[in-house]
Amino acid sequence: MIHIIADSTFGVPKSYAESNGIKIVNLKLILDDKVTEEGFEENYEEFYVRLKNSKSFPSTSQPSPEDFVDKIKEVYAEDSEAEIIILTISQALSGTINAATLAAREFEGKKIVAIDSAQAATCGRILVEELVDLIKKGKTFDEIVNKAIPVLKESLEIQFVPETMEYLKRGGRIGKLAATLASILKIKPVFSFKNGMISIKKKVLGIGKAISDMIALLPQKLKKLYVCYIYDDTNVDAIKKKLEQSNIKYDGVVNVTPVFGSHVGIGAIGLASLEAYEI
């Protein structure tokens, strides 16, 4: 049977992971000298509250190869003939894939592969959900690894609009001057992360226009769509309303994981989409 191991940045719900035998390897966050495992959604609030009240900027710590080895051993303890797919956050954002690759190499002769998902945040969750469905439909390990995952990588995209540029400035993602000007002028950049590449799709005035532009940028044929927010869901109702006005259905509302959220900032909103695809 095919088994999935994913890192915590994918935001896979605990109940879903348990019911589908998915093993989760945690990244860690360090803020004001306190180390916190990212965990599942029920663990996020404690970290976000500390982040909101802190003047420091958090750092992250990727898992060790041993962390992945432990999860691999758990899988083999349950299924000695398991075929294992390990998925990690995009290498553009973290070196987690390196630890996963080293871990997989320790199991010579086993059907096991570590894959850079090229995704961030909720797009990782969608990827896992699609793979679970494909496994249930009887797709083979080779079909999933060599056909499905490359197609899915190209079909997934997350767009997001920060509430403030402060977090991106603190994290060194943008310059202080650019952040200050954006704040003064109330400019809202619409960022996109797709297949390991980040870009700015639009620069607009105000959150309302930013939401409209995010929706306009969605693929015409959608297979799955999640509304995303980072801890503060103030603007979620606005994006839900505009989706409904556009007759676009969405599959749920997701609080984004802290590793991604702490860099983009509390209050950000976004759309994680999967374009309709064929394999």
Side-chain angles (χ1 to χ4, degrees), residues 157-163 188-193 199-204 206-220 222 225-230 235-240 242-243 246 248 260 264 267-273:
E157 181 175 10
I158 185 167
Q159 301 174 57
F160 56 95
V161 179
E163 170 65 17
K188 295 289 185 184
V190 178
F191 289 91
S192 165
F193 193 89
S199 60
I200 297 177
K201 290 294 186 74
K202 296 277 187 176
K203 293 180 182 178
V204 298
I207 191 66
K209 183 66 168 68
I211 290 172
S212 295
D213 281 357
M214 275 199 298
I215 292 171
L217 290 166
L218 289 171
Q220 287 189 344
L222 281 166
L225 178 68
Y226 282 116
V227 175
C228 308
Y229 70 97
I230 297 175
N235 290 312
V236 166
D237 283 345
I239 197 167
K240 287 165 61 176
K242 290 202 175 187
L243 284 169
S246 301
I248 298 174
F260 185 79
V264 178
I269 55 170
L271 293 170
S273 63

Side-chain angles (χ1 to χ4, degrees), residues 1-3 21 23 71-84 110-111:
M1 183 176 175
I2 302 170
H3 294 254
K23 304 296 183 184
K71 295 300 180 181
I72 294 168
K73 288 180 177 178
E74 285 182 21
V75 172
Y76 286 135
E78 298 166 6
D79 179 3
S80 61
E81 300 301 317
E83 300 173 323
I84 301 175
K110 294 285 191 178
K111 207 158 190 180

Side-chain angles (χ1 to χ4, degrees), residues 15-278:
S15 59
Y16 185 88
E18 290 176 346
S19 62
N20 290 284
I22 299 165
K23 304 296 183 184
I24 303 297
V25 178
N26 277 302
L27 275 75
K28 295 181 176 66
L29 299 115
I30 304 97
L31 178 63
D32 296 326
D33 298 322
K34 181 176 180 179
V35 179
T36 305
E37 285 197 340
E38 187 166 43
F40 294 99
E41 185 172 358
E42 51 265 36
N43 308 117
Y44 298 170
E45 183 170 6
E46 186 272 339
F47 174 80
Y48 276 130
V49 169
R50 289 196 295 114
L51 176 63
K52 186 176 182 178
N53 295 316
S54 176
K55 293 182 180 181
S56 303
F57 188 79
S59 59
T60 57
S61 174
Q62 66 192 46
S64 68
E66 290 73 22
D67 292 328
F68 282 100
V69 167
D70 288 344
K71 295 300 180 181
I72 294 168
K73 288 180 177 178
E74 285 182 21
V75 172
Y76 286 135
E78 298 166 6
D79 179 3
S80 61
E81 300 301 317
E83 300 173 323
I84 301 175
I85 299 171
I86 306 172
L87 299 168
T88 71
I89 185 175
S90 173
Q91 192 169 19
L93 302 174
S94 169
T96 301
I97 184 61
N98 299 323
T101 300
L102 289 171
R105 286 175 184 167
E106 292 194 22
F107 296 85
E108 189 175 350
K110 294 285 191 178
K111 207 158 190 180
I112 178 171
V113 62
I115 296 174
D116 171 9
S117 74
Q119 307 306 317
T122 311
C123 279
R125 170 176 169 171
I126 297 174
L127 175 60
V128 169
E129 291 172 348
E130 290 299 303
L131 295 190
V132 167
D133 288 346
L134 291 171
I135 291 167
K136 290 178 177 178
K137 289 176 181 177
K139 295 295 183 181
T140 67
F141 181 89
D142 290 336
E143 285 174 329
I144 289 173
V145 170
N146 299 320
K147 294 182 180 179
I149 291 177
V151 170
L152 285 163
K153 283 184 178 182
E154 292 288 346
S155 304
L156 286 159
E157 181 175 10
I158 185 167
Q159 301 174 57
F160 56 95
V161 179
E163 170 65 17
T164 170
M165 305 300 285
E166 180 64 23
Y167 293 87
L168 289 165
K169 181 184 74 176
R170 280 198 250 169
R173 303 287 178 174
I174 61 170
K176 183 177 180 179
L177 178 60
T180 302
L181 286 173
S183 177
I184 292 172
L185 299 174
K186 300 189 182 303
I187 294 172
K188 295 289 185 184
V190 178
F191 289 91
S192 165
F193 193 89
K194 181 179 176 68
N195 203 6
M197 299 291 292
I198 190 167
S199 60
I200 297 177
K201 290 294 186 74
K202 296 277 187 176
K203 293 180 182 178
V204 298
L205 292 175
I207 191 66
K209 183 66 168 68
I211 290 172
S212 295
D213 281 357
M214 275 199 298
I215 292 171
L217 290 166
L218 289 171
Q220 287 189 344
K221 294 183 178 180
L222 281 166
K223 187 168 192 298
K224 187 167 283 189
L225 178 68
Y226 282 116
V227 175
C228 308
Y229 70 97
I230 297 175
Y231 183 58
D232 180 352
D233 62 357
T234 299
N235 290 312
V236 166
D237 283 345
I239 197 167
K240 287 165 61 176
K241 184 177 180 180
K242 290 202 175 187
L243 284 169
E244 289 161 3
Q245 289 172 345
S246 301
N247 294 316
I248 298 174
K249 294 181 180 180
Y250 58 93
D251 296 271
V253 179
V254 176
N255 186 9
V256 173
T257 63
V259 166
F260 185 79
S262 62
H263 286 82
V264 178
I266 289 170
I269 55 170
L271 293 170
S273 63
L274 172 64
E275 188 174 8
Y277 66 93
E278 292 183 3

